[in-house]
Amino acid sequence: MSVKERKERERAGRERLIVATARELAEQQGWDAVTTRRLAERIEYSQPVLYSHFRGKREIIGAVALQGASEMAVAMRAATAAADGPRARVTALARAYLAFAERHPAVYDALFQLDGGLAYAQEDTPEPLKDAFAALLECLAEVAGDGVRPELFTETFWASLHGLATLTRAGRLPPEDTERRTELLVDRLAML
């Protein structure tokens, strides 16, 4: 292995460590607790080393969001692959989405609530974000209905899931009714 390859591998390792540490700190204490100073202390590198990887917290949030988008896509595809029939797939998709949001609140915030400097629904949208949307679209396109653009239906269904996730987490909706809300969403919006 060349010196250059070793340095690139070490740099990538430091970057993964920064993102993992930021994510862990955010999940434990919220995003307000994630500062470059605290991250530098936790990873035992100086702040200038941290800034050599990310220009600041915004880029770190973006890196966590991209990682989260990839994980969310995997979770949704795994859930839908195990389901038989359109109704079961859409229900599994909705459950997987809501479960991800509940299990990973800081990642969910990085994806959909905080400014990570990422472009959504544009030409320059990063691939992990496009892939997470594609995971929704793959399942929902088959139930969009005649005369309805699958992308538009997917955006509407996604917005409903996001609303349920956000309002439940904020205590605006009682969590014990999550399953019934999911069934209503599938029954009425997807008309299954």
Side-chain angles (χ1 to χ4, degrees), residues 5 13 22-23 43 53 61 73 100 104 112 121 126 135 166 189 192:
E5 290 171 330
R23 182 176 173 166
I43 65 172
H53 291 274
I61 290 169
F100 184 91
H104 306 289
F112 302 119
T166 303
L189 187 58
L192 294 171

PDB file of all heavy atoms in Angstrom, residues 5 13 22-23 43 53 61 73 100 104 112 121 126 135 166 189 192:
ATOM      1  N   GLU A   5      -2.272   6.041  -0.450  1.00  0.00           N
ATOM      2  CA  GLU A   5      -3.427   5.193  -0.156  1.00  0.00           C
ATOM      3  C   GLU A   5      -3.670   5.093   1.345  1.00  0.00           C
ATOM      4  O   GLU A   5      -4.812   5.135   1.810  1.00  0.00           O
ATOM      5  CB  GLU A   5      -3.237   3.790  -0.741  1.00  0.00           C
ATOM      6  CG  GLU A   5      -3.314   3.741  -2.247  1.00  0.00           C
ATOM      7  CD  GLU A   5      -2.915   2.377  -2.790  1.00  0.00           C
ATOM      8  OE1 GLU A   5      -2.090   1.676  -2.164  1.00  0.00           O
ATOM      9  OE2 GLU A   5      -3.437   2.028  -3.859  1.00  0.00           O
ATOM     10  N   GLY A  13     -11.256   7.161   7.507  1.00  0.00           N
ATOM     11  CA  GLY A  13     -11.544   6.645   8.845  1.00  0.00           C
ATOM     12  C   GLY A  13     -11.858   7.760   9.824  1.00  0.00           C
ATOM     13  O   GLY A  13     -12.788   7.642  10.638  1.00  0.00           O
ATOM     14  N   ALA A  22     -20.712  12.443  15.985  1.00  0.00           N
ATOM     15  CA  ALA A  22     -21.747  13.482  15.935  1.00  0.00           C
ATOM     16  C   ALA A  22     -23.129  12.851  16.046  1.00  0.00           C
ATOM     17  O   ALA A  22     -23.992  13.339  16.791  1.00  0.00           O
ATOM     18  CB  ALA A  22     -21.630  14.278  14.634  1.00  0.00           C
ATOM     19  N   ARG A  23     -23.319  11.786  15.347  1.00  0.00           N
ATOM     20  CA  ARG A  23     -24.615  11.089  15.379  1.00  0.00           C
ATOM     21  C   ARG A  23     -24.910  10.566  16.780  1.00  0.00           C
ATOM     22  O   ARG A  23     -26.013  10.726  17.302  1.00  0.00           O
ATOM     23  CB  ARG A  23     -24.572   9.953  14.356  1.00  0.00           C
ATOM     24  CG  ARG A  23     -25.834   9.193  14.259  1.00  0.00           C
ATOM     25  CD  ARG A  23     -25.721   8.152  13.162  1.00  0.00           C
ATOM     26  NE  ARG A  23     -26.882   7.298  13.150  1.00  0.00           N
ATOM     27  CZ  ARG A  23     -27.200   6.493  12.169  1.00  0.00           C
ATOM     28  NH1 ARG A  23     -26.456   6.444  11.080  1.00  0.00           N
ATOM     29  NH2 ARG A  23     -28.274   5.742  12.237  1.00  0.00           N
ATOM     30  N   ILE A  43     -13.380  12.779  19.881  1.00  0.00           N
ATOM     31  CA  ILE A  43     -12.614  11.948  18.942  1.00  0.00           C
ATOM     32  C   ILE A  43     -11.115  12.083  19.160  1.00  0.00           C
ATOM     33  O   ILE A  43     -10.331  11.408  18.516  1.00  0.00           O
ATOM     34  CB  ILE A  43     -12.976  12.258  17.467  1.00  0.00           C
ATOM     35  CG1 ILE A  43     -12.586  13.677  17.090  1.00  0.00           C
ATOM     36  CG2 ILE A  43     -14.437  11.971  17.195  1.00  0.00           C
ATOM     37  CD1 ILE A  43     -12.743  13.980  15.623  1.00  0.00           C
ATOM     38  N   HIS A  53     -11.959  18.219   7.519  1.00  0.00           N
ATOM     39  CA  HIS A  53     -12.923  17.280   6.945  1.00  0.00           C
ATOM     40  C   HIS A  53     -14.268  17.947   6.641  1.00  0.00           C
ATOM     41  O   HIS A  53     -14.898  17.640   5.641  1.00  0.00           O
ATOM     42  CB  HIS A  53     -13.158  16.107   7.906  1.00  0.00           C
ATOM     43  CG  HIS A  53     -11.989  15.207   8.048  1.00  0.00           C
ATOM     44  ND1 HIS A  53     -11.748  14.168   7.189  1.00  0.00           N
ATOM     45  CD2 HIS A  53     -10.969  15.199   8.943  1.00  0.00           C
ATOM     46  CE1 HIS A  53     -10.639  13.548   7.542  1.00  0.00           C
ATOM     47  NE2 HIS A  53     -10.149  14.150   8.605  1.00  0.00           N
ATOM     48  N   ILE A  61     -24.030  17.694   9.787  1.00  0.00           N
ATOM     49  CA  ILE A  61     -25.450  17.328   9.740  1.00  0.00           C
ATOM     50  C   ILE A  61     -25.771  16.712   8.379  1.00  0.00           C
ATOM     51  O   ILE A  61     -26.462  15.694   8.285  1.00  0.00           O
ATOM     52  CB  ILE A  61     -26.347  18.544  10.032  1.00  0.00           C
ATOM     53  CG1 ILE A  61     -26.227  18.949  11.497  1.00  0.00           C
ATOM     54  CG2 ILE A  61     -27.800  18.271   9.653  1.00  0.00           C
ATOM     55  CD1 ILE A  61     -26.865  20.286  11.838  1.00  0.00           C
ATOM     56  N   ALA A  73     -33.362   3.773   3.336  1.00  0.00           N
ATOM     57  CA  ALA A  73     -33.690   3.074   2.086  1.00  0.00           C
ATOM     58  C   ALA A  73     -33.544   1.566   2.260  1.00  0.00           C
ATOM     59  O   ALA A  73     -34.405   0.791   1.818  1.00  0.00           O
ATOM     60  CB  ALA A  73     -32.804   3.583   0.949  1.00  0.00           C
ATOM     61  N   PHE A 100     -38.182   3.789  11.721  1.00  0.00           N
ATOM     62  CA  PHE A 100     -36.878   4.435  11.553  1.00  0.00           C
ATOM     63  C   PHE A 100     -36.883   5.809  12.210  1.00  0.00           C
ATOM     64  O   PHE A 100     -35.956   6.168  12.931  1.00  0.00           O
ATOM     65  CB  PHE A 100     -36.516   4.555  10.067  1.00  0.00           C
ATOM     66  CG  PHE A 100     -35.147   5.116   9.848  1.00  0.00           C
ATOM     67  CD1 PHE A 100     -34.052   4.276   9.750  1.00  0.00           C
ATOM     68  CD2 PHE A 100     -34.930   6.484   9.761  1.00  0.00           C
ATOM     69  CE1 PHE A 100     -32.770   4.782   9.570  1.00  0.00           C
ATOM     70  CE2 PHE A 100     -33.668   7.014   9.577  1.00  0.00           C
ATOM     71  CZ  PHE A 100     -32.578   6.158   9.482  1.00  0.00           C
ATOM     72  N   HIS A 104     -34.391   6.554  15.383  1.00  0.00           N
ATOM     73  CA  HIS A 104     -33.243   7.414  15.067  1.00  0.00           C
ATOM     74  C   HIS A 104     -33.680   8.877  14.966  1.00  0.00           C
ATOM     75  O   HIS A 104     -33.588   9.484  13.878  1.00  0.00           O
ATOM     76  CB  HIS A 104     -32.611   6.971  13.749  1.00  0.00           C
ATOM     77  CG  HIS A 104     -32.244   5.526  13.712  1.00  0.00           C
ATOM     78  ND1 HIS A 104     -31.206   4.992  14.442  1.00  0.00           N
ATOM     79  CD2 HIS A 104     -32.808   4.485  13.038  1.00  0.00           C
ATOM     80  CE1 HIS A 104     -31.129   3.693  14.211  1.00  0.00           C
ATOM     81  NE2 HIS A 104     -32.092   3.365  13.372  1.00  0.00           N
ATOM     82  N   PHE A 112     -34.606  15.695   7.698  1.00  0.00           N
ATOM     83  CA  PHE A 112     -35.805  16.425   7.315  1.00  0.00           C
ATOM     84  C   PHE A 112     -36.103  17.703   8.094  1.00  0.00           C
ATOM     85  O   PHE A 112     -37.024  18.424   7.730  1.00  0.00           O
ATOM     86  CB  PHE A 112     -37.028  15.499   7.415  1.00  0.00           C
ATOM     87  CG  PHE A 112     -36.900  14.272   6.564  1.00  0.00           C
ATOM     88  CD1 PHE A 112     -36.906  13.024   7.145  1.00  0.00           C
ATOM     89  CD2 PHE A 112     -36.763  14.365   5.190  1.00  0.00           C
ATOM     90  CE1 PHE A 112     -36.792  11.874   6.363  1.00  0.00           C
ATOM     91  CE2 PHE A 112     -36.639  13.235   4.406  1.00  0.00           C
ATOM     92  CZ  PHE A 112     -36.659  11.992   4.990  1.00  0.00           C
ATOM     93  N   ALA A 121     -34.975  17.152  -4.109  1.00  0.00           N
ATOM     94  CA  ALA A 121     -35.850  17.236  -5.280  1.00  0.00           C
ATOM     95  C   ALA A 121     -35.310  18.180  -6.353  1.00  0.00           C
ATOM     96  O   ALA A 121     -36.051  18.945  -6.958  1.00  0.00           O
ATOM     97  CB  ALA A 121     -37.261  17.654  -4.860  1.00  0.00           C
ATOM     98  N   PRO A 126     -28.129  14.721  -3.769  1.00  0.00           N
ATOM     99  CA  PRO A 126     -27.181  13.609  -3.600  1.00  0.00           C
ATOM    100  C   PRO A 126     -27.860  12.245  -3.761  1.00  0.00           C
ATOM    101  O   PRO A 126     -29.037  12.067  -3.425  1.00  0.00           O
ATOM    102  CB  PRO A 126     -26.668  13.792  -2.162  1.00  0.00           C
ATOM    103  CG  PRO A 126     -26.910  15.227  -1.847  1.00  0.00           C
ATOM    104  CD  PRO A 126     -28.162  15.600  -2.598  1.00  0.00           C
ATOM    105  N   ALA A 135     -36.808   4.261  -2.932  1.00  0.00           N
ATOM    106  CA  ALA A 135     -37.311   3.140  -2.137  1.00  0.00           C
ATOM    107  C   ALA A 135     -38.794   3.319  -1.838  1.00  0.00           C
ATOM    108  O   ALA A 135     -39.553   2.342  -1.833  1.00  0.00           O
ATOM    109  CB  ALA A 135     -36.514   3.007  -0.842  1.00  0.00           C
ATOM    110  N   THR A 166     -43.473  13.216  12.792  1.00  0.00           N
ATOM    111  CA  THR A 166     -43.141  14.466  13.461  1.00  0.00           C
ATOM    112  C   THR A 166     -44.137  14.807  14.566  1.00  0.00           C
ATOM    113  O   THR A 166     -43.739  15.174  15.680  1.00  0.00           O
ATOM    114  CB  THR A 166     -43.073  15.610  12.425  1.00  0.00           C
ATOM    115  OG1 THR A 166     -42.119  15.246  11.422  1.00  0.00           O
ATOM    116  CG2 THR A 166     -42.652  16.909  13.057  1.00  0.00           C
ATOM    117  N   LEU A 189     -55.603   6.594   1.822  1.00  0.00           N
ATOM    118  CA  LEU A 189     -54.770   7.312   0.850  1.00  0.00           C
ATOM    119  C   LEU A 189     -54.337   6.372  -0.279  1.00  0.00           C
ATOM    120  O   LEU A 189     -54.450   6.722  -1.461  1.00  0.00           O
ATOM    121  CB  LEU A 189     -53.561   7.966   1.518  1.00  0.00           C
ATOM    122  CG  LEU A 189     -52.723   8.870   0.627  1.00  0.00           C
ATOM    123  CD1 LEU A 189     -53.560   9.999   0.048  1.00  0.00           C
ATOM    124  CD2 LEU A 189     -51.547   9.447   1.393  1.00  0.00           C
ATOM    125  N   LEU A 192     -56.222   0.825  -0.381  1.00  0.00           N
ATOM    126  CA  LEU A 192     -55.988  -0.619  -0.450  1.00  0.00           C
ATOM    127  C   LEU A 192     -56.831  -1.362   0.576  1.00  0.00           C
ATOM    128  O   LEU A 192     -57.078  -0.932   1.632  1.00  0.00           O
ATOM    129  CB  LEU A 192     -54.512  -0.918  -0.196  1.00  0.00           C
ATOM    130  CG  LEU A 192     -53.561  -0.394  -1.267  1.00  0.00           C
ATOM    131  CD1 LEU A 192     -52.128  -0.531  -0.834  1.00  0.00           C
ATOM    132  CD2 LEU A 192     -53.786  -1.139  -2.569  1.00  0.00           C
TER     133      LEU A 192
END
